[in-house]
Amino acid sequence: MSEVRERLARAALTRVVEPGDELMGRWLLEHGALEVRSAIENGGVALEGASPERWQRLRTRIRAACPEADLEAAATAGTRFVCPGDEEWPGQLDDLGAAKPIGLWVHGAPSLRFWALCSVALVGARACTDYGVHVASTLGAGLAEAGWTVISGAAYGIDGAAHRGALAVGGATVGVLASGVDVTYPRGHRELIRRVGEEGLLVAELPPSVHPTRSRFVLRNRVIAALTRGTVVVEAELRSGSLVTARRAERLGRMVMGVPGTVTSGLSAGVHQLLRTSGQLVTEPAEVIELVGRIGELAPERRGPVLPRDVLPTDTAVVLEAMPARRAVGLTELAAASGAPSARTLARLHELRALGFVERGGDRWWLSVPKSAPRGHPIG
């Protein structure tokens, strides 16, 4: 019974204060949800730290709260209220301390705790470029195919592209909303948010029917940062909510990553500043996984194409490098240039001739002309 009352108290308090209210967080840590709710409802002496004006606002708001109705409506819509201490509660949210959520309204079948254990945040500009959309959707799809949960904010631009990339490959994705889970925002993402709720998870701190505000988007970002092992920023201006997420992730000890863009684009200026100060540069899913995954999950080393001369033995390559570019050379001169005895130099020249690197005319040697280049005798 006490667990039910605790849940009701926390559900009521989600209607009383804004997400991330640290004063409320401290009250909950010190007194528990039941005592805090009772103190506000019954009046009396205000809890420590609350001004008379604020205490009155809290009392006004809690009188309008009806947690029983909220929980019943949520359950009817397939939404549950997850509290700290529940089996489904992601323990990493406790890293937020007094700013951790009072509880989370979760819509969707999977376990939030299990999905968040192996998750990455993909965030970025709303008014992004085609390049940003391509990068975000590719990263979202690649991470999801590798078994990672893609977490973002369901906003226009990079967020939407990240969710769509994960959904396109049947992967796991979570939308953390700045409204109630039953409020579609932005409206243009109605279909996307519906799909995330049906195939993945929608998560909100705010109770049902509550609409977003500018400040709630910023407050929502701390949950995205805390839920995940790392945050990847794809396109962000110097003043960007995505950078707020990245900075919060850094303070929480999470990995912070950024995808570089065009140096002349203002939409990449924030990412580039992040990379100069604290972020790790990533360009593909494997590089992200290397930074946030288990030991040994290394991205393949990137190399240019292997050229035939790359596989030559060292002493043979030395002779080839000593060959003049535009004229023929005799054995004595070449041996001096390569620093090897004449007999050894001659042996290496025969090897190079067999491999098609050099040609011979009498006692003179020269570099072979590539087949694509005009052919002519190089003797000068």
Side-chain angles (χ1 to χ4, degrees):
M1 181 62 69
S2 61
E3 183 179 333
V4 173
R5 293 173 62 206
E6 176 80 11
R7 189 174 303 278
L8 284 169
R10 284 185 174 270
L13 293 173
T14 63
R15 287 204 178 271
V16 172
V17 294
E18 289 294 302
D21 188 301
E22 295 196 20
L23 180 58
M24 175 61 72
R26 289 195 294 272
W27 288 345
L28 291 173
L29 290 171
E30 294 170 11
H31 306 291
L34 280 175
E35 186 175 333
V36 171
R37 180 188 182 185
S38 177
I40 299 173
E41 284 183 331
N42 299 327
V45 179
L47 293 174
E48 58 277 14
S51 66
E53 294 79 10
R54 181 170 189 190
W55 190 247
Q56 186 57 47
R57 285 198 302 271
L58 295 176
R59 296 203 64 211
T60 300
R61 289 181 178 178
I62 207 161
R63 283 196 291 267
C66 185
E68 294 86 354
D70 282 339
L71 291 171
E72 183 179 351
T76 301
T79 298
R80 57 197 178 275
F81 186 57
V82 179
C83 299
D86 286 352
E87 184 176 336
E88 193 181 352
W89 180 259
Q92 59 267 43
L93 289 178
D94 296 340
D95 293 346
L96 290 169
K100 76 179 181 181
I102 296 171
L104 292 173
W105 302 85
V106 181
H107 181 84
S111 165
L112 175 61
R113 175 174 168 243
F114 289 144
W115 271 26
L117 286 174
C118 189
S119 64
V120 176
L122 290 181
V123 297
R126 288 175 172 81
C128 63
T129 65
D130 290 343
Y131 163 79
V133 169
H134 172 75
V135 170
S137 59
T138 300
L139 285 173
L143 288 166
E145 282 189 313
W148 287 78
T149 300
V150 175
I151 296 183
S152 197
Y156 288 134
I158 298 303
D159 289 17
H163 289 305
R164 290 190 182 95
L167 291 170
V169 297
T173 189
V174 176
V176 182
L177 308 181
S179 62
V181 292
D182 59 339
V183 175
T184 299
Y185 190 89
R187 292 187 178 181
H189 273 180
R190 179 177 300 276
E191 178 61 20
L192 174 63
I193 292 173
R194 181 194 65 78
R195 283 193 64 195
V196 173
E198 290 182 355
E199 301 176 35
L201 287 170
L202 294 174
V203 176
E205 293 182 80
L206 293 159
S209 76
V210 175
H211 288 261
T213 62
R214 182 182 296 273
S215 63
R216 288 170 180 168
F217 285 108
V218 177
L219 294 167
R220 176 271 311 272
N221 292 344
R222 82 192 196 289
V223 176
I224 295 177
L227 268 179
T228 55
R229 291 196 192 178
T231 294
V232 182
V233 183
V234 183
E235 289 196 323
E237 295 181 294
L238 289 170
R239 288 175 56 87
S240 168
S242 303
L243 298 182
V244 174
T245 308
R247 287 192 287 269
R248 178 58 73 107
E250 183 181 10
R251 289 198 297 272
L252 290 169
R254 310 297 197 261
M255 184 61 65
V256 176
M257 296 154 280
V259 178
T262 306
V263 296
T264 55
S265 171
L267 281 170
S268 290
V271 181
H272 295 161
Q273 181 65 24
L274 178 69
L275 292 174
R276 291 189 64 211
T277 55
S278 59
Q280 297 286 323
L281 187 151
V282 293
T283 60
E284 60 180 22
E287 294 173 352
V288 176
I289 294 170
E290 178 179 315
L291 292 171
V292 299
R294 296 183 297 272
I295 294 174
E297 291 184 295
L298 302 178
E301 185 178 352
R302 289 193 171 193
R303 296 180 178 178
V306 177
L307 302 175
R309 65 172 58 210
D310 295 334
V311 297
L312 292 174
T314 301
D315 52 353
T316 305
V318 168
V319 172
L320 181 60
E321 290 296 326
M323 290 287 297
R326 291 183 175 81
R327 64 182 181 87
V329 65
L331 177 59
T332 302
E333 181 184 348
L334 186 58
S338 64
S342 295
R344 187 181 302 170
T345 301
L346 182 60
R348 300 293 86 82
L349 282 169
H350 285 302
E351 292 174 5
L352 290 168
R353 185 184 183 191
L355 293 170
F357 286 100
V358 301
E359 297 180 31
R360 180 183 183 182
D363 60 355
R364 310 284 284 176
W365 299 82
W366 61 88
L367 291 173
S368 297
V369 179
K371 293 181 180 179
S372 59
R375 194 169 181 84
H377 202 290
I379 298 178

